[in-house]
Amino acid sequence: MAQSAYIKLVDGSAVSSLTLDEVKEHLLHYKDQLALTGKQLGWGYEEAGFPYSIETKPDAEGRWFYLKGKENRYRYIVVGVGQETSGETEQGYIQLVLPDDATYGDKSKANEIGKHLGRRLKAELHLFNGRVMYFNPRK
């Protein structure tokens, strides 16, 4: 059974909603940060930290894309965006989905990506195990 984690854009988040292209930009920024870290360390940390290529399918229609693993330890992570209504407010979210054939490496990388996006967007991260990490300013 597929597992999902959600990055919910709540009150106090940096933005209230995102498009798929904006999520791709955030992932490319993350990849660039890893490349700079690797440059400081003197080895190819970018390939170890983000071992995926961003792929789209024509039938996705702007609803989702997937990260395809470049090594055999990593397979797929599906990334989608959406809106949910809670009361009178609309709340945007990013969904990270691990398909049935995902590896433990995929789950670890999805957690890392979720934490990075949660920090950057000041959002709530609902992890695969049901726990919640709060990166948004709370009163």
Side-chain angles (χ1 to χ4, degrees):
M1 185 170 171
Q3 297 178 333
S4 292
Y6 295 91
I7 302 155
K8 295 191 178 187
L9 305 170
V10 296
D11 291 337
S13 293
V15 294
S16 59
S17 66
L18 283 172
T19 63
L20 275 181
D21 291 331
E22 291 170 335
V23 174
K24 286 180 188 178
E25 288 175 20
H26 284 291
L27 290 175
L28 292 175
H29 179 266
Y30 177 60
K31 191 173 180 179
D32 290 342
Q33 283 184 322
L34 294 175
L36 291 174
T37 302
K39 191 175 184 181
Q40 289 177 336
L41 296 174
W43 68 289
Y45 185 62
E46 174 186 355
E47 290 300 317
F50 193 81
Y52 296 99
S53 63
I54 299 174
E55 307 280 333
T56 57
K57 291 218 176 200
D59 61 337
E61 299 174 6
R63 294 175 298 158
W64 57 272
F65 62 90
Y66 67 98
L67 303 175
K68 182 180 179 185
K70 295 178 182 177
E71 302 173 16
N72 60 357
R73 290 185 293 183
Y74 305 103
R75 294 194 182 131
Y76 301 103
I77 300 173
V78 180
V79 181
V81 295
Q83 296 276 345
E84 68 180 6
T85 306
S86 59
E88 297 178 6
T89 60
E90 289 224 352
Q91 187 178 55
Y93 64 87
I94 303 168
Q95 183 177 7
L96 302 174
V97 180
L98 295 174
D100 291 336
D101 61 343
T103 64
Y104 289 110
D106 290 327
K107 190 170 188 175
S108 296
K109 291 298 177 184
N111 280 328
E112 287 178 25
I113 291 168
K115 288 176 188 176
H116 173 76
L117 291 174
R119 274 188 217 101
R120 188 165 166 88
L121 298 171
K122 298 180 182 170
E124 283 183 10
L125 173 60
H126 295 253
L127 296 165
F128 296 105
N129 61 5
R131 295 184 180 168
V132 180
M133 295 179 78
Y134 298 96
F135 297 106
N136 59 323
R138 296 173 39 188
K139 296 179 183 176

